[in-house]
Amino acid sequence: MTTQNKPDIDILKIREILCEKKKEVAVSLKTCAHCALCADSCFLYRCRDNAPLYMPSHKFINSIGTLYKKKGKVTRAELEEIREIVWKRCVLCTRCYCPLGIDIPSLIALARRICRSQDVVHDFEKEKKG
Amino acid sequence: MRILDLISGPMVWFSFICFFCGTLYQVIVFYTLSKPRPRHPQERPRPHLGLKKEPEILDRTSLSYRFAMFRLTVFGRDPGMMIMTTIFHVTLILTPFVVLGHNILLDLAVGISFPSLLEVATDLLTLAVLACCLFFLFRRLLVPTVRAITTPSDLLMLLIVAAPFLTGFLAYHQIGNYDIMVLAHMASGEIMIMALPFTRFIHMIYFFINRFILIHENTLGKGGSRVWR
């Protein structure tokens, strides 16, 4: 199924999921001091020539952070971008370390759940074929 | 009421009330978002199994092992940043308490005061805070990882922190208009105190929560007692 053929984004459903963890997301986004000290704890960041895109904080700010700030009002293209972040740039190994105690894996998992609710998932078959 | 009277009177109390109530609120929020858990559930004594502890292959007390482990920590990975951030946070919190002028005002207002340092020492502490602010500013603008997540609000936060120290320094040395500097010093200090529990500055609270309450491999003290829900 191509992106164009998919139905519109169900904003209410996204909001419903966001509301379940609203406080956690809000506190995490507010606590993040944007210090970038979490970067070195991500093995993908270190394997990909220290590319900032792989920093744990960059990943959660641009996935669940975007969804939270836009109150779920995202386009399918934006959700596809979030899918790239939460599946291709994170394997949920849960080894990321935030000096301020932010539970980054749970936030990425929440973003994945929201993507799944909108049928935006990582296509492993397509990935295999390249 | 003149603006000076407002800023040097009720606004001081209001900002401290905001700070203490806000901090309490944030601590309550943390407790509602986390749940208690025993420290090391896997290490409960199980004498009925009669298991003997395997001998350690690594000498965990050796200096080389400890050094190798230290290099894996945040401090070991980024020592420059960690030294600067430690100096910054210690001087940021300590300096206002040891400034002679603050203690005289405190003594006049409520009859208590903290030990004061020599004025030249507090001057140096203030300059240390400002130098660290400059370091963070350049780090934000020049280091690619930090620049990638920097937003205008981060620069505003830095300005809010630097403003009371800069204006205090200028007022003490009577550089510029003294009255305006003192007013700006008090107002910016109050803004910072009020902003602490409600903005990105809540990392001040969460640093201690993370280090002493949340359970993870780097928890200090008794090893923590809570995990996120």
Side-chain angles (χ1 to χ4, degrees):
Chain A
M1 197 191 275
T2 59
T3 306
Q4 284 76 26
N5 294 338
K6 283 184 178 176
D8 285 341
I9 296 292
D10 185 355
I11 292 165
L12 289 178
K13 180 72 187 166
I14 296 179
R15 281 187 184 163
E16 191 189 309
I17 299 172
L18 270 176
C19 273
E20 283 175 33
K21 296 263 180 184
K22 191 179 163 190
K23 210 81 189 163
E24 281 93 331
V25 178
V27 166
S28 303
L29 286 171
K30 208 183 268 181
T31 307
C32 182
H34 294 184
C35 63
L37 288 174
C38 55
D40 268 319
S41 67
C42 179
F43 78 92
L44 277 171
Y45 166 82
R46 295 181 70 178
C47 292
R48 301 280 198 273
D49 297 325
N50 297 351
L53 290 178
Y54 290 89
M55 249 188 338
S57 50
H58 189 278
K59 287 183 261 191
F60 95 81
I61 290 167
N62 289 290
S63 56
I64 198 72
T66 306
L67 287 162
Y68 178 80
K69 279 173 196 159
K70 294 194 169 183
K71 294 175 183 167
K73 267 189 192 173
V74 283
T75 62
R76 190 158 285 277
E78 282 170 323
L79 218 51
E80 299 278 354
E81 259 178 51
I82 291 170
R83 179 194 64 182
E84 289 289 301
I85 297 169
V86 295
W87 267 288
K88 286 192 83 174
R89 293 188 211 149
C90 177
V91 295
L92 273 189
C93 67
T94 72
R95 296 306 300 151
C96 43
Y97 171 69
C98 170
L100 305 168
I102 300 170
D103 189 1
I104 300 171
S106 79
L107 298 169
I108 299 280
L110 184 66
R112 280 191 182 190
R113 197 178 141 203
I114 290 171
C115 284
R116 258 189 243 109
S117 76
Q118 302 305 310
D119 207 18
V120 175
V121 289
H122 187 65
D123 191 341
F124 289 97
E125 283 301 310
K126 201 172 144 190
E127 180 76 7
K128 220 162 62 176
K129 287 169 200 160
Chain B
M1 189 187 272
R2 288 193 312 147
I3 190 154
L4 180 67
D5 296 331
L6 180 74
I7 287 176
S8 62
M11 279 302 286
V12 178
W13 297 110
F14 180 71
S15 60
F16 277 106
I17 288 166
C18 267
F19 171 72
F20 287 115
C21 292
T23 304
L24 186 67
Y25 168 73
Q26 293 297 348
V27 172
I28 292 167
V29 165
F30 166 73
Y31 274 89
T32 59
L33 296 178
S34 62
K35 59 184 176 188
R37 205 176 77 174
R39 259 188 297 153
H40 300 296
Q42 75 277 23
E43 284 180 16
R44 273 186 224 127
R46 287 175 290 180
H48 59 284
L49 292 173
L51 292 173
K52 275 190 180 170
K53 214 176 175 185
E54 291 276 328
E56 288 267 3
I57 299 167
L58 285 166
D59 177 13
R60 289 173 197 273
T61 55
S62 75
L63 203 64
S64 56
Y65 175 82
R66 284 182 184 179
F67 184 66
M69 291 310 286
F70 172 74
R71 284 188 63 197
L72 293 176
T73 62
V74 176
F75 214 116
R77 297 293 312 167
D78 206 344
M81 161 67 179
M82 290 313 292
I83 290 168
M84 287 306 272
T85 197
T86 307
I87 294 172
F88 173 69
H89 286 97
V90 169
T91 49
L92 177 75
I93 294 167
L94 180 75
T95 308
F97 290 103
V98 295
V99 170
L100 183 65
H102 288 183
N103 281 324
I104 291 171
L105 287 173
L106 204 61
D107 193 36
L108 288 172
V110 283
I112 54 160
S113 64
F114 299 100
S116 304
L117 287 183
L118 287 175
E119 285 172 320
V120 67
T122 47
D123 247 10
L124 287 173
L125 289 174
T126 308
L127 287 174
V129 174
L130 293 173
C132 290
C133 283
L134 271 180
F135 168 80
F136 288 130
L137 177 67
F138 285 120
R139 188 174 175 267
R140 286 226 164 273
L141 300 175
L142 302 176
V143 178
T145 46
V146 191
R147 199 173 55 214
I149 46 173
T150 295
T151 55
S153 69
D154 293 315
L155 302 176
L156 181 68
M157 295 283 116
L158 214 48
L159 182 70
I160 291 175
V161 172
F165 290 87
L166 183 66
T167 49
F169 184 82
L170 294 176
Y172 174 70
H173 290 279
Q174 310 227 346
I175 301 168
N177 187 318
Y178 176 78
D179 292 335
I180 291 174
M181 282 302 163
V182 166
L183 201 67
H185 175 64
M186 287 190 285
S188 56
E190 284 158 12
I191 289 169
M192 186 175 79
I193 291 167
M194 280 191 278
L196 278 170
F198 303 105
T199 60
R200 200 156 288 150
F201 294 134
I202 60 163
H203 70 259
M204 181 192 83
I205 304 161
Y206 273 91
F207 172 80
F208 293 103
I209 285 174
N210 180 46
R211 280 296 179 172
F212 295 99
I213 302 175
L214 279 173
I215 300 172
H216 57 85
E217 65 204 85
N218 300 310
T219 315
L220 301 172
K222 289 181 178 175
S225 57
R226 298 182 80 83
V227 289
W228 291 108
R229 266 184 202 280

